[in-house]
Amino acid sequence: MLVLKNKTCWITGAGSGIGEALAHQFAAKGANLILSGRNVNRLEMVKNKIEHHQTRVQIVPIDLTKTENLPALISEVKQQNNSIDYLINNAGVTQRALACETSEAVLRRLMEVNFFGTVALTKAVANIMLQQQSGHITIISSLAGKFGFPLRSGYSAAKHALQGYFETLRAEVAGKNINVLIVSPGRIQTAISQNALLKDGTAHQQSDPGQAKGMSVDICAKKIIKAIQKNQKDVVIGGSEVLMFYIRKWCPPLFFWLVRKVKAT
Ligand SMILES: NC(=O)c1ccc[n+]([C@@H]2O[C@H](COP(=O)([O-])OP(=O)(O)OC[C@H]3O[C@@H](n4cnc5c(N)ncnc54)[C@H](OP(=O)(O)O)[C@@H]3O)[C@@H](O)[C@H]2O)c1
């Protein structure tokens, strides 16, 4: 089992949802935290809630669409931490718009946040891990990174791109004491659908009914941490929707029939 106590763990998107739940559970296991996201107030609230675990918590505001700011942020993190042991690339934004109607600007934004920003941060941290000769990188992808799903063309494309990037990174750092875990959640109860981008880039501002019936965020975070500690490479997390992953893999014709019948939400 990989050790978390007294290790430094950098979590993006730590102000809400899965990232916040991970911050609580990492702190409970004695990890020191670096919390990132755009909304500093929410990060401060998370910091206050986990203070009783008496681990060190640093807030590093990041907008993943502004990668030009990364070098300064990385040197700030290096100054205050002897090592970065775990990176959890959790920040992300989804979509609720038909492929043929989604503007190019929205597609680019989905790629900037979910792929390019995430990859830029990962590259910087992976180079630090190569120097320190140890580290663990997690990417929170999605079931939509395993197969396409209505209304999520750009999101699914970005998450598929992450799968390819992180599989390659894993192969390249194999043998260098750096491990890569790809997590593909199904439906988890968070506000992700509220923040989803519509075809014109405005926020969906609605909770999908399916989302509300999803797995609790605490159980999801627990399963992610278990997969990290067991040094797994690829994990799919969720309820019955996860069956779609196996049907896609083992019985593609049934998958193609089913996905046409799904009422897209
Ligand atoms: N919930 C699900 O059903 C589900 C399913 C599959 C995959 N996922 C993935 O799980 C991850 C976490 O999502 P969640 O469900 O916990 O939703 P969430 O609560 O909306 O969390 C998304 C986080 O990403 C951060 N973020 C968004 N844009 C950003 C940017 N430009 N720069 C930096 N941070 C940014 C947000 O923080 P700020 O607003 O403070 O920046 C927020 O904390 C995402 O990668 C998502 O794709 C979720």
Side-chain angles (χ1 to χ4, degrees):
M1 290 281 270
L2 296 185
V3 176
L4 302 181
K5 194 169 172 57
N6 296 327
K7 300 289 182 184
T8 299
C9 172
W10 192 346
I11 306 173
T12 66
S16 62
I18 298 172
E20 177 178 2
L22 284 169
H24 284 274
Q25 294 187 26
F26 267 103
K29 288 183 180 286
N32 297 314
L33 296 175
I34 303 164
L35 306 180
S36 288
R38 292 164 305 170
N39 188 325
V40 178
N41 288 341
R42 280 212 310 258
L43 295 173
E44 291 285 359
M45 279 165 64
V46 174
K47 183 179 176 179
N48 291 340
K49 282 195 246 170
I50 60 182
E51 239 168 21
H52 64 281
H53 292 298
Q54 297 187 328
T55 62
R56 197 160 33 80
V57 182
Q58 180 184 3
I59 290 179
V60 178
I62 284 184
D63 183 341
L64 288 170
T65 64
K66 298 190 173 130
T67 51
E68 66 277 12
N69 298 335
L70 273 182
L73 297 173
I74 294 284
S75 54
E76 186 188 328
V77 166
K78 275 168 88 174
Q79 267 173 19
Q80 297 202 27
N81 298 276
N82 295 330
S83 62
I84 304 170
D85 304 298
Y86 295 90
L87 171 65
I88 317 285
N89 287 300
N90 165 74
V93 62
T94 188
Q95 171 192 15
R96 293 293 182 274
L98 293 169
C100 291
E101 294 181 355
T102 303
S103 69
E104 187 182 331
V106 169
L107 283 180
R108 288 187 183 277
R109 183 164 176 81
L110 289 162
M111 291 302 292
E112 287 298 339
V113 179
N114 294 315
F115 183 74
F116 287 111
T118 296
V119 163
L121 176 63
T122 299
K123 257 179 73 180
V125 173
N127 278 307
I128 294 170
M129 289 176 172
L130 282 170
Q131 278 170 15
Q132 68 195 23
Q133 298 183 350
S134 67
H136 188 288
I137 299 171
T138 299
I139 177 70
I140 309 296
S141 177
S142 170
L143 271 190
K146 300 284 192 190
F147 53 79
F149 198 79
L151 304 183
R152 290 154 176 83
S153 53
Y155 177 69
S156 180
K159 294 291 191 181
H160 274 75
L162 288 174
Q163 300 253 347
Y165 184 90
F166 281 86
E167 289 244 352
T168 304
L169 177 66
R170 182 197 291 130
E172 289 178 1
V173 297
K176 295 186 175 156
N177 202 24
I178 300 171
N179 301 296
V180 176
L181 166 67
I182 301 176
V183 179
S184 300
R187 286 195 155 124
I188 314 298
Q189 289 172 26
T190 71
I192 192 159
S193 62
Q194 299 261 0
N195 303 325
L197 302 181
L198 298 176
K199 61 184 179 183
D200 59 358
T202 55
H204 184 44
Q205 290 187 325
Q206 283 177 37
S207 289
D208 292 343
Q211 204 80 46
K213 291 186 206 134
M215 176 179 276
S216 89
V217 80
D218 291 331
I219 293 177
C220 174
K222 198 170 172 189
K223 285 179 183 286
I224 293 170
I225 290 184
K226 191 171 165 197
I228 292 171
Q229 290 202 278
K230 286 171 78 179
N231 213 356
Q232 285 179 256
K233 305 231 172 322
D234 205 315
V235 65
V236 175
I237 295 174
S240 56
E241 71 280 7
V242 163
L243 280 176
M244 289 291 270
F245 167 67
Y246 295 101
I247 294 170
R248 174 72 180 85
K249 196 167 172 183
W250 302 114
C251 187
L254 177 59
F255 172 85
F256 298 135
W257 181 78
L258 280 172
V259 85
R260 278 174 45 191
K261 306 235 163 251
V262 170
K263 187 177 173 303
T265 56

